[in-house]
Amino acid sequence: MLIWEICPGEGRDIANMQKQNVKAGCEGETRPPFHLALPVTDLELAADFYEHLLGCPRGRESQAWIDFDFWGHQLVIHKVKELLPAATNPVDGERVPASHFGPILGWQEFDQLVERLQRGKVSYVIAPTLRFAGRRGEQKTLFIQDPSGNHLEFKTFRNMDMLFAKDGLEYA
């Protein structure tokens, strides 16, 4: 059994870590925020997307990068000259971009985001849909792109406790 040393003097197996620490870390502490850096070809256009469309507060910045508070995590966009094309994989009948990121929202918060994106006339890569209906991992999901073509997935689970649950069935 693989054991991770997460907290001083505390070893946990992965299944327990996933089950017990989705929202909490050691001794009731919250998990640390993650850091994600993305390439963008137009820094100001991408900044407008993250700050004004998605509502992410802007942090530090330079002429080459900008930090954002992305649902409590640090997102940094870095200006580059060009991007590589995205690969896809089939998931539940959709061609899902293999490289993507995004927060897992509450059920109602997801619906509010859909309304905000519709008001902003955002084009979907994959329109809001219910995936894995009736299964333990039932979720709503949508995919959009930032102005540089980075893929974002926003999702919500009907039952957040099922985030890492297995149901013993095949997934396509």
Side-chain angles (χ1 to χ4, degrees):
M1 179 175 295
L2 181 59
I3 302 292
W4 287 5
E5 187 70 28
I6 301 172
C7 305
E10 208 178 296
R12 294 194 181 138
D13 64 63
I14 292 174
N16 274 339
M17 184 192 74
Q18 291 174 337
K19 189 170 19 173
Q20 295 177 5
N21 291 314
V22 171
K23 296 178 185 166
C26 308
E27 302 284 329
E29 295 173 14
T30 58
R31 281 186 159 187
F34 70 82
H35 163 87
L36 177 66
L38 294 177
V40 299
T41 54
D42 185 321
L43 195 61
E44 284 309 313
L45 189 61
D48 185 62
F49 174 85
Y50 287 102
E51 185 174 19
H52 298 114
L53 179 67
L54 296 183
C56 300
R58 193 184 284 221
R60 295 174 311 230
E61 60 187 278
S62 78
Q63 292 181 352
W65 55 266
I66 303 172
D67 284 346
F68 292 94
D69 178 343
F70 187 83
W71 277 266
H73 301 282
Q74 183 189 39
L75 173 67
V76 185
I77 57 173
H78 288 270
K79 186 174 181 179
V80 298
K81 290 182 182 177
E82 63 181 313
L83 299 171
L84 299 174
T88 63
N89 281 320
V91 177
D92 202 32
E94 301 276 5
R95 298 295 305 170
V96 171
S99 179
H100 64 270
F101 73 102
I104 299 172
L105 307 173
W107 199 261
Q108 291 178 344
E109 186 180 6
F110 179 89
D111 293 337
Q112 292 167 351
L113 176 67
V114 169
E115 291 172 10
R116 181 190 305 167
L117 295 175
Q118 288 170 341
R119 284 192 308 271
K121 300 186 184 338
V122 172
S123 297
Y124 295 105
V125 174
I126 297 176
T129 187
L130 183 67
R131 183 171 289 156
F132 310 130
R135 298 185 62 181
R136 293 184 77 186
E138 183 175 322
Q139 58 192 263
K140 290 181 189 176
T141 183
L142 67 86
F143 281 80
I144 59 175
Q145 287 180 304
D146 73 11
S148 292
N150 293 299
H151 290 92
L152 289 83
E153 178 184 21
F154 294 86
K155 65 168 59 179
T156 182
F157 284 80
R158 184 169 301 278
N159 179 347
M160 196 63 80
D161 292 336
M162 299 293 108
L163 182 62
F164 297 109
K166 297 179 183 179
D167 59 12
L169 302 172
E170 294 285 324
Y171 283 85

Coordinates of all heavy atoms in Angstrom, one line a residue, residues 125-170:
V125 N -16.6 25.2 -26.0 CA -15.9 24.1 -26.7 C -16.8 22.9 -26.5 O -17.0 22.2 -27.5 CB -14.5 23.9 -26.1 CG1 -13.8 22.6 -26.7 CG2 -13.6 25.1 -26.3
I126 N -17.3 22.7 -25.3 CA -18.3 21.7 -25.0 C -19.4 22.4 -24.2 O -19.1 22.9 -23.1 CB -17.7 20.5 -24.3 CG1 -16.7 19.8 -25.1 CG2 -18.9 19.5 -23.9 CD1 -16.0 18.6 -24.4
A127 N -20.6 22.5 -24.7 CA -21.7 23.2 -24.0 C -22.0 22.6 -22.7 O -21.7 21.4 -22.5 CB -22.9 23.3 -24.9
P128 N -22.6 23.3 -21.8 CA -23.0 22.7 -20.5 C -23.8 21.4 -20.7 O -24.7 21.4 -21.5 CB -23.9 23.8 -19.8 CG -23.4 25.1 -20.5 CD -23.0 24.7 -21.9
T129 N -23.4 20.4 -20.0 CA -24.0 19.1 -20.2 C -24.0 18.3 -18.9 O -23.1 18.6 -18.0 CB -23.3 18.3 -21.3 OG1 -24.0 17.1 -21.6 CG2 -21.9 17.9 -21.0
L130 N -24.9 17.3 -18.8 CA -24.9 16.4 -17.7 C -24.1 15.2 -18.1 O -24.5 14.5 -19.1 CB -26.3 16.0 -17.3 CG -26.4 15.1 -16.0 CD1 -26.0 15.9 -14.8 CD2 -27.9 14.7 -15.9
R131 N -23.1 14.8 -17.4 CA -22.2 13.7 -17.8 C -22.4 12.6 -16.7 O -22.6 12.8 -15.5 CB -20.8 14.1 -17.8 CG -19.8 13.0 -18.2 CD -18.4 13.6 -18.5 NE -18.4 14.3 -19.7 CZ -17.6 15.3 -20.0 NH1 -16.7 15.6 -19.1 NH2 -17.6 15.9 -21.1
F132 N -22.4 11.3 -17.2 CA -22.5 10.2 -16.3 C -23.8 10.1 -15.5 O -23.8 9.8 -14.3 CB -21.3 10.0 -15.4 CG -19.9 10.1 -16.1 CD1 -19.0 11.0 -15.6 CD2 -19.6 9.4 -17.2 CE1 -17.7 11.1 -16.2 CE2 -18.4 9.5 -17.9 CZ -17.5 10.4 -17.4
A133 N -24.9 10.5 -16.2 CA -26.2 10.6 -15.5 C -26.5 9.3 -14.8 O -26.4 8.2 -15.3 CB -27.2 10.9 -16.6
G134 N -27.0 9.5 -13.5 CA -27.4 8.3 -12.7 C -26.3 7.5 -12.1 O -26.6 6.6 -11.4
R135 N -25.1 7.9 -12.4 CA -24.0 7.2 -11.8 C -23.4 7.9 -10.6 O -23.7 9.1 -10.3 CB -22.9 7.0 -12.9 CG -23.5 6.2 -14.0 CD -22.5 5.8 -15.1 NE -21.4 5.0 -14.6 CZ -20.4 4.6 -15.3 NH1 -20.4 5.0 -16.6 NH2 -19.4 3.9 -14.8
R136 N -22.5 7.2 -9.8 CA -22.0 7.9 -8.6 C -21.2 9.2 -9.0 O -21.2 10.1 -8.2 CB -21.0 6.9 -7.9 CG -21.8 5.7 -7.4 CD -20.9 4.8 -6.6 NE -20.6 5.4 -5.3 CZ -19.7 4.9 -4.4 NH1 -19.1 3.8 -4.7 NH2 -19.6 5.5 -3.3
G137 N -20.6 9.3 -10.1 CA -19.9 10.5 -10.5 C -20.7 11.4 -11.3 O -20.1 12.2 -12.1
E138 N -22.0 11.4 -11.2 CA -22.8 12.3 -12.0 C -22.4 13.7 -11.8 O -22.2 14.2 -10.7 CB -24.3 12.2 -11.7 CG -25.2 13.0 -12.5 CD -26.7 12.7 -12.2 OE1 -27.1 11.6 -12.0 OE2 -27.4 13.7 -12.2
Q139 N -22.2 14.5 -13.0 CA -21.7 15.8 -12.9 C -22.2 16.6 -14.1 O -22.6 16.1 -15.1 CB -20.2 15.8 -12.9 CG -19.6 15.1 -14.2 CD -18.2 14.8 -14.1 OE1 -17.4 15.6 -14.6 NE2 -17.8 13.7 -13.4
K140 N -22.2 18.0 -13.8 CA -22.4 18.9 -14.9 C -21.1 19.4 -15.3 O -20.2 19.6 -14.4 CB -23.3 20.1 -14.5 CG -24.8 19.7 -14.3 CD -25.5 21.0 -13.9 CE -26.9 20.8 -13.4 NZ -27.5 22.1 -12.9
T141 N -20.9 19.7 -16.6 CA -19.6 20.1 -17.0 C -19.7 21.0 -18.2 O -20.7 21.0 -19.0 CB -18.6 18.9 -17.4 OG1 -17.3 19.4 -17.7 CG2 -19.2 18.1 -18.5
L142 N -18.7 21.9 -18.5 CA -18.7 22.7 -19.7 C -17.2 23.0 -19.9 O -16.4 23.0 -19.0 CB -19.5 24.0 -19.5 CG -19.0 25.1 -18.5 CD1 -18.0 26.0 -19.1 CD2 -20.2 25.9 -18.1
F143 N -16.9 23.3 -21.2 CA -15.5 23.6 -21.6 C -15.6 24.9 -22.4 O -16.4 25.1 -23.2 CB -14.9 22.6 -22.5 CG -14.3 21.4 -21.7 CD1 -15.2 20.4 -21.3 CD2 -13.0 21.3 -21.5 CE1 -14.7 19.3 -20.7 CE2 -12.5 20.2 -20.8 CZ -13.3 19.2 -20.4
I144 N -14.7 25.8 -22.0 CA -14.5 27.1 -22.8 C -13.0 27.2 -23.0 O -12.2 26.5 -22.5 CB -15.1 28.3 -22.1 CG1 -14.4 28.5 -20.7 CG2 -16.6 28.2 -21.9 CD1 -14.8 29.8 -20.0
Q145 N -12.6 28.2 -23.9 CA -11.2 28.6 -24.1 C -11.0 30.0 -23.7 O -11.9 30.9 -23.9 CB -10.9 28.4 -25.6 CG -10.8 27.0 -26.0 CD -10.4 27.0 -27.5 OE1 -11.1 27.6 -28.3 NE2 -9.3 26.3 -27.8
D146 N -9.8 30.3 -23.2 CA -9.4 31.7 -23.0 C -9.0 32.2 -24.3 O -9.0 31.5 -25.3 CB -8.4 31.8 -21.9 CG -7.0 31.4 -22.2 OD1 -6.7 31.1 -23.4 OD2 -6.1 31.3 -21.3
P147 N -8.7 33.5 -24.4 CA -8.4 34.1 -25.8 C -7.2 33.5 -26.4 O -7.0 33.6 -27.6 CB -8.2 35.6 -25.5 CG -9.0 35.8 -24.3 CD -8.9 34.6 -23.4
S148 N -6.3 32.8 -25.7 CA -5.2 32.2 -26.3 C -5.4 30.7 -26.6 O -4.5 30.0 -27.1 CB -4.0 32.3 -25.3 OG -3.6 33.7 -25.3
G149 N -6.6 30.2 -26.3 CA -6.9 28.8 -26.7 C -6.6 27.8 -25.5 O -6.8 26.6 -25.8
N150 N -6.3 28.3 -24.3 CA -6.2 27.4 -23.2 C -7.6 26.9 -22.8 O -8.5 27.7 -22.7 CB -5.5 28.1 -22.0 CG -4.1 28.4 -22.3 OD1 -3.3 27.6 -22.5 ND2 -3.8 29.7 -22.3
H151 N -7.7 25.6 -22.6 CA -9.0 25.0 -22.3 C -9.3 25.0 -20.8 O -8.4 24.6 -20.0 CB -9.1 23.6 -22.8 CG -9.2 23.5 -24.3 ND1 -8.0 23.4 -25.0 CD2 -10.2 23.6 -25.1 CE1 -8.4 23.4 -26.3 NE2 -9.7 23.5 -26.4
L152 N -10.5 25.5 -20.4 CA -10.9 25.5 -19.0 C -12.2 24.6 -18.9 O -13.1 24.7 -19.8 CB -11.3 26.9 -18.5 CG -10.2 27.9 -18.3 CD1 -9.8 28.5 -19.7 CD2 -10.6 28.9 -17.4
E153 N -12.2 23.7 -17.9 CA -13.4 23.0 -17.6 C -13.9 23.4 -16.3 O -13.2 23.5 -15.3 CB -13.1 21.5 -17.6 CG -14.4 20.7 -17.2 CD -14.1 19.2 -17.1 OE1 -13.0 18.8 -16.8 OE2 -15.1 18.4 -17.2
F154 N -15.2 23.7 -16.3 CA -15.9 24.0 -15.0 C -16.9 22.9 -14.8 O -17.6 22.4 -15.7 CB -16.7 25.3 -15.1 CG -15.8 26.5 -15.2 CD1 -15.3 26.9 -16.5 CD2 -15.3 27.2 -14.1 CE1 -14.4 28.0 -16.6 CE2 -14.5 28.3 -14.2 CZ -14.0 28.7 -15.5
K155 N -16.9 22.3 -13.6 CA -17.7 21.2 -13.3 C -18.3 21.2 -12.0 O -17.8 22.0 -11.1 CB -17.0 19.8 -13.6 CG -15.9 19.6 -12.6 CD -15.3 18.1 -12.6 CE -14.8 17.7 -14.0 NZ -14.3 16.3 -13.9
T156 N -19.3 20.4 -11.7 CA -19.9 20.3 -10.4 C -20.5 18.9 -10.3 O -20.9 18.3 -11.3 CB -21.1 21.3 -10.2 OG1 -21.6 21.1 -8.9 CG2 -22.2 21.1 -11.2
F157 N -20.4 18.3 -9.1 CA -20.9 17.0 -8.9 C -22.2 17.1 -8.2 O -22.4 17.9 -7.3 CB -19.9 16.2 -8.0 CG -18.7 15.7 -8.8 CD1 -17.7 16.5 -9.1 CD2 -18.7 14.4 -9.2 CE1 -16.6 16.1 -9.8 CE2 -17.6 13.9 -10.0 CZ -16.5 14.8 -10.2
R158 N -23.2 16.2 -8.5 CA -24.4 16.2 -7.8 C -24.2 15.9 -6.4 O -24.8 16.5 -5.5 CB -25.4 15.1 -8.4 CG -26.7 15.1 -7.8 CD -27.8 14.3 -8.5 NE -28.1 14.7 -9.8 CZ -28.8 15.7 -10.2 NH1 -29.4 16.5 -9.3 NH2 -29.0 16.0 -11.5
N159 N -23.2 15.0 -6.1 CA -22.8 14.7 -4.7 C -21.3 14.8 -4.6 O -20.6 14.0 -5.1 CB -23.3 13.2 -4.4 CG -22.9 12.9 -3.0 OD1 -22.1 13.5 -2.3 ND2 -23.4 11.7 -2.5
M160 N -20.8 15.9 -4.0 CA -19.4 16.2 -3.9 C -18.6 15.1 -3.3 O -17.4 14.9 -3.5 CB -19.2 17.5 -3.2 CG -17.8 18.1 -3.4 SD -17.4 18.5 -5.1 CE -18.2 20.1 -5.3
D161 N -19.3 14.3 -2.4 CA -18.6 13.1 -1.8 C -18.1 12.1 -2.9 O -17.4 11.2 -2.6 CB -19.4 12.5 -0.8 CG -19.7 13.4 0.4 OD1 -18.8 14.3 0.7 OD2 -20.7 13.1 1.1
M162 N -18.7 12.2 -4.1 CA -18.3 11.2 -5.1 C -17.2 11.7 -6.0 O -16.9 11.1 -7.0 CB -19.6 11.0 -6.0 CG -20.8 10.4 -5.3 SD -20.5 8.7 -4.7 CE -20.3 9.0 -2.9
L163 N -16.5 12.7 -5.6 CA -15.4 13.3 -6.4 C -14.4 12.2 -6.8 O -14.0 12.2 -8.0 CB -14.7 14.4 -5.6 CG -13.6 15.1 -6.4 CD1 -14.1 15.8 -7.6 CD2 -12.9 16.2 -5.4
F164 N -14.0 11.3 -5.9 CA -13.0 10.3 -6.2 C -13.6 8.9 -6.1 O -12.9 7.9 -6.1 CB -11.8 10.4 -5.2 CG -11.1 11.7 -5.4 CD1 -11.2 12.7 -4.4 CD2 -10.3 11.9 -6.5 CE1 -10.5 13.9 -4.5 CE2 -9.6 13.1 -6.6 CZ -9.7 14.1 -5.6
A165 N -15.0 8.8 -6.0 CA -15.6 7.5 -5.8 C -15.5 6.7 -7.1 O -15.5 7.2 -8.2 CB -17.1 7.7 -5.4
K166 N -15.5 5.4 -6.9 CA -15.6 4.4 -8.0 C -16.9 3.7 -8.0 O -17.4 3.5 -6.9 CB -14.4 3.4 -7.9 CG -13.0 4.0 -8.0 CD -12.0 3.0 -7.9 CE -10.6 3.6 -7.9 NZ -9.6 2.6 -7.8
D167 N -17.4 3.4 -9.1 CA -18.7 2.6 -9.1 C -18.6 1.2 -9.7 O -19.6 0.5 -9.9 CB -19.8 3.4 -9.7 CG -19.6 3.8 -11.2 OD1 -18.6 3.3 -11.8 OD2 -20.3 4.6 -11.7
G168 N -17.4 0.8 -10.1 CA -17.1 -0.5 -10.7 C -17.6 -0.7 -12.1 O -17.6 -1.8 -12.6
L169 N -18.0 0.4 -12.7 CA -18.5 0.3 -14.1 C -17.5 0.9 -15.1 O -16.6 1.7 -14.7 CB -19.8 1.1 -14.3 CG -21.0 0.6 -13.4 CD1 -22.2 1.6 -13.5 CD2 -21.4 -0.8 -13.7
E170 N -17.5 0.5 -16.3 CA -16.6 1.0 -17.3 C -17.0 2.5 -17.7 O -18.2 2.8 -17.8 CB -16.7 0.2 -18.6 CG -16.2 -1.2 -18.4 CD -14.7 -1.3 -18.3 OE1 -14.0 -0.5 -19.0 OE2 -14.2 -2.1 -17.5

